[in-house]
Amino acid sequence: MKKITILIPAYNEEEVLQPLFERLNSLTNSKEMKKYSWEYLFVNDGSRDNTVSIIKAEIEKENKSKNRKTSLIDLSRNFGKERAMAAGIDACNSDALIFIDADLQDPPELIPEMINLWNEGYDDVYAKRNSRAGESFVKKFTSKMYYNVIQSVSDIQIQKDTGDFRLLDKKCIDALKSVQEKTRN
């Protein structure tokens, strides 16, 4: 059975955790997804709200039901999202790793489609936004400029509007683990 880790960096996410758990559990308990072993790996990046206690309560609930999926890495302070993700990468021992933000801006319901592409042989599967509904003009403009600047200084084609929502195969995970730089993303 292939193991898939969903890596969720968390910083002051108490308000979104319950809906996130509900949507992840609905997805991973579906008939189609039961053929995989699942882990939800939260990396708490120095939250000052009840994020850690909510995650720990979920872990305790899962321990009682013997349906354990949730794990927690609790960083000592806020190091930033990239370092939190790096900590999750280092801890991952799965066949695939899916990055998703806790705030549900990226729908977990797209994960089966990402897994299907992975099963077809893709090692790095991005989820690309079709629209940026609800974002201000300034946010859209700065995002567009960011991608244009990055592309202008890179020889590699950069995917626009992708964010962090993606799936990586074990080969990619191992390659990232071998990089010794402080920031790998």
Side-chain angles (χ1 to χ4, degrees):
M1 181 180 288
K2 290 182 178 179
K3 181 179 179 184
I4 301 173
T5 295
I6 300 175
L7 173 58
I8 308 149
Y11 179 71
N12 295 338
E13 306 288 357
E14 68 182 2
E15 292 184 21
V16 296
L17 288 177
Q18 209 51 50
L20 175 65
F21 277 118
E22 289 169 11
R23 287 173 71 179
L24 288 177
N25 286 331
S26 176
L27 169 80
T28 60
N29 291 329
S30 71
K31 185 178 179 181
E32 177 188 9
M33 295 291 112
K34 280 197 174 245
K35 61 184 171 187
Y36 301 101
S37 171
W38 292 95
E39 175 186 34
Y40 312 150
L41 176 56
F42 285 86
V43 181
N44 179 53
D45 190 23
S47 295
R48 294 188 173 136
D49 64 0
N50 291 316
T51 295
V52 171
S53 60
I54 293 168
I55 296 168
K56 285 182 176 180
E58 183 68 21
I59 291 170
E60 187 63 33
K61 183 173 103 178
E62 291 173 0
N63 284 338
K64 289 179 183 175
S65 70
K66 300 199 183 338
N67 185 24
R68 181 147 190 216
K69 293 180 185 169
T70 305
S71 300
L72 173 66
I73 296 172
D74 191 12
L75 301 179
S76 61
R77 64 175 176 82
N78 181 261
F79 288 93
K81 183 178 179 181
E82 289 76 20
R83 295 251 176 105
M85 290 170 47
I89 291 167
D90 287 340
C92 181
N93 62 356
S94 296
D95 298 294
L97 177 64
I98 298 171
F99 299 90
I100 192 167
D101 290 339
D103 63 10
L104 293 169
Q105 286 187 26
D106 299 312
E109 292 77 15
L110 291 179
I111 290 174
E113 191 174 338
M114 296 167 81
I115 292 171
N116 288 338
L117 290 166
W118 173 55
N119 285 327
E120 289 177 18
Y122 292 93
D123 296 329
D124 187 356
V125 180
Y126 280 89
K128 183 176 179 181
R129 291 183 180 101
N130 288 328
S131 75
R132 299 185 74 95
E135 292 184 359
S136 70
F137 169 79
V138 172
K139 171 75 173 157
K140 291 176 189 176
F141 178 76
T142 56
S143 179
K144 181 178 179 179
M145 295 311 297
Y146 167 81
Y147 285 109
N148 288 341
V149 169
I150 294 296
Q151 191 59 64
S152 71
V153 298
S154 176
D155 294 332
I156 300 169
Q157 181 66 33
I158 305 296
Q159 297 291 322
K160 293 182 180 180
D161 296 324
T162 55
D164 295 320
F165 190 30
R166 68 194 294 186
L167 177 149
L168 295 178
D169 181 78
K170 183 169 183 46
K171 291 181 275 190
C172 299
I173 299 163
D174 291 343
L176 285 172
K177 286 181 179 183
S178 72
V179 176
Q180 297 301 309
E181 298 172 6
K182 297 255 188 236
T183 305
R184 296 179 266 200
N185 304 350

